[in-house]
Amino acid sequence: MDHKGKILIVEDDKNTGFLLQNRLQEEGFEVLLCTNGIEAERIIMNQNFSLCILDIMIPSKDGLELSKDIRMKNNQVPIIFLTARNLKSDIVQGYKNGCDDYLTKPFDIDELVLKIHAIIRRTGTKHIEPSELKVSKLSLIKEEHILVSDKEQKNISHKEMLILELFFRNFDQVITRRSILIACWGNDDYFSSNILNVYLTKIRKLIKADEDLVLHNIHGHGYKLTKK
């Protein structure tokens, strides 16, 4: 599917987050949902987006501070604040932090979608991700869901592709279990966590195609794809 752009949503209210994610996916966008500022900061440092939608009152690191991180990496990516904070001083601070629009809750989702289309059309920030990612002797062909090594070529599932992409983009860095769940399932509930165990076993089997790679379980922290 040819996505119209890639959008990051940082929203700790799961109902609002899933509503936005589903609607924007229906509009043809690729959407990543995150529920706290620290998690969003890590994602922002490792991925590019066409537009970011930020709540201000989020755990770990608020949306205003997060917007500064975004601006440090990319001064062009549009930012929309979507928040319950509706004082004039809040709105002024939002624009001082470089937002392109400021919407207060409760909000009209149709109005938000129209604003997103208008901003992306105006700024021309449709993001095109590279279709191939390489780590050591492995190549991940995203569009075709294929993992290629110097020994073989394997068709992989969509979820396997998403998890491998996350490890490839963050090679030799620790990724928390929660980061994987949020990035690949959109939530970190008990059901998704159990499924992740199954997929990590599959990922370990897939990377055996490169004898130089290993997926470490960093106890109490997460997982790291690195060289032996």
Side-chain angles (χ1 to χ4, degrees):
M1 178 180 179
D2 182 20
H3 289 290
K4 295 179 179 178
K6 186 174 181 179
I7 294 177
L8 173 67
I9 300 171
V10 187
E11 171 60 69
D12 64 329
D13 183 295
K14 289 188 176 181
N15 289 333
T16 301
F18 290 143
L19 174 67
L20 283 172
Q21 185 179 40
N22 291 336
R23 176 60 186 276
L24 291 174
Q25 286 174 339
E26 290 174 357
E27 292 289 322
F29 293 103
E30 181 181 353
V31 184
L32 186 60
L33 173 62
C34 184
T35 58
N36 73 80
I38 295 298
E39 181 70 21
E41 179 185 22
R42 187 198 61 74
I43 291 171
I44 287 164
M45 292 301 106
N46 290 285
Q47 298 190 45
N48 296 317
F49 294 92
S50 305
L51 182 141
C52 298
I53 302 172
L54 311 179
D55 190 358
I56 292 180
M57 297 181 291
I58 50 177
S60 303
K61 188 171 192 175
D62 70 38
L64 292 172
E65 287 299 312
L66 193 59
S67 68
K68 295 177 183 178
D69 296 331
I70 295 171
R71 285 286 170 254
M72 286 179 63
K73 183 189 178 189
N74 184 342
N75 198 41
Q76 303 301 317
V77 61
I79 297 173
I80 296 177
F81 282 121
L82 184 63
T83 177
R85 292 173 61 165
N86 58 5
L87 296 177
K88 182 179 179 180
S89 58
D90 294 326
I91 298 172
V92 169
Q93 188 60 49
Y95 280 104
K96 282 184 176 180
N97 278 48
C99 77
D100 293 79
D101 213 326
Y102 191 108
L103 274 70
T104 58
K105 298 176 181 177
F107 65 98
D108 185 317
I109 194 167
D110 292 326
E111 178 186 355
L112 174 59
V113 168
L114 288 172
K115 285 177 178 289
I116 290 169
H117 281 295
I119 290 172
I120 289 180
R121 185 167 58 248
R122 183 177 71 246
T123 57
T125 52
K126 177 176 177 179
H127 177 68
I128 301 174
E129 291 278 1
S131 60
E132 180 176 350
L133 297 172
K134 294 195 70 174
V135 165
S136 188
K137 301 172 187 175
L138 297 182
S139 295
L140 180 64
I141 315 298
K142 292 168 51 183
E143 292 182 358
E144 299 178 29
H145 289 50
I146 292 174
L147 184 66
V148 180
S149 69
D150 56 0
K151 299 176 182 178
E152 59 186 341
Q153 176 176 302
K154 284 189 175 181
N155 293 315
I156 59 176
S157 70
H158 181 66
K159 277 291 189 288
E160 289 167 344
M161 185 273 292
L162 290 177
I163 298 170
L164 280 170
E165 179 182 5
L166 197 59
F167 282 123
F168 277 35
R169 290 189 183 282
N170 297 277
F171 183 71
D172 209 28
Q173 299 179 46
V174 176
I175 307 176
T176 66
R177 186 178 182 86
R178 188 171 188 276
S179 298
I180 301 171
L181 288 167
I182 294 296
C184 300
W185 275 270
N187 63 74
D188 60 346
D189 60 24
Y190 178 78
F191 179 71
S192 298
S193 184
N194 283 338
I195 294 177
L196 176 57
N197 294 332
V198 175
Y199 274 95
L200 288 173
T201 299
K202 293 180 178 180
I203 296 302
R204 285 191 166 94
K205 290 179 180 178
L206 287 171
I207 65 172
K208 282 184 178 179
D210 184 342
E211 64 278 3
D212 294 331
L213 294 178
V214 61
L215 180 61
H216 287 292
N217 183 352
I218 311 300
H219 185 68
H221 295 279
Y223 305 90
K224 180 167 71 170
L225 179 64
T226 187
K227 289 195 172 184
K228 292 179 179 178

